[in-house]
Amino acid sequence: HTAIKTIQTKMLFKTLQSFFERNNLNIDQTPIIICGDFNSIPNSGVYNYIVNGVLNCQDEALKFDDQGTQRVAFDQDIKHQFNLKSAYG
């Protein structure tokens, strides 16, 4: 369920952003490592969102679930400001 994974990942970055703000941490100067099984492969919307910091709100994966059921698309792109690199393996 790509839409659910996207929302969960968005919540992760929102929580991480709040942590940085509460602790006066500089995103560009504070190293972070995010580990986990996100059940996403390279070139998927969630993977691209994590690595590139943006997910197009019109991404096809957000419009339909895994069974082809129509979903409500986000009305704006989803973004985070962390500069992350992938160690997908």
Side-chain angles (χ1 to χ4, degrees), residues 13-34 79-84:
F13 284 111
K14 183 175 181 176
T15 302
L16 191 56
Q17 177 69 39
S18 294
F19 175 82
F20 270 69
E21 290 172 0
R22 279 192 321 271
N23 293 286
N24 288 331
L25 298 172
N26 184 317
I27 289 174
D28 296 323
Q29 297 176 351
T30 306
I32 61 171
I33 297 174
I34 298 175
K79 299 178 183 179
H80 71 74
Q81 55 188 332
F82 296 94
N83 183 17
L84 302 174

Side-chain angles (χ1 to χ4, degrees), residues 3-18:
I4 293 170
K5 290 188 283 187
T6 302
I7 292 167
Q8 291 171 332
T9 306
K10 181 180 178 187
M11 291 171 58
L12 168 70
F13 284 111
K14 183 175 181 176
T15 302
L16 191 56
Q17 177 69 39
S18 294

Side-chain angles (χ1 to χ4, degrees), residues 2-3 6 43-45 55-66 68-73:
T2 301
T6 302
N43 298 322
S44 69
L55 178 59
N56 184 316
C57 67
Q58 297 304 315
D59 187 291
E60 288 299 316
L62 298 178
K63 292 182 181 180
F64 299 92
D65 69 11
D66 297 335
T69 303
Q70 180 78 34
R71 295 275 189 203
V72 176

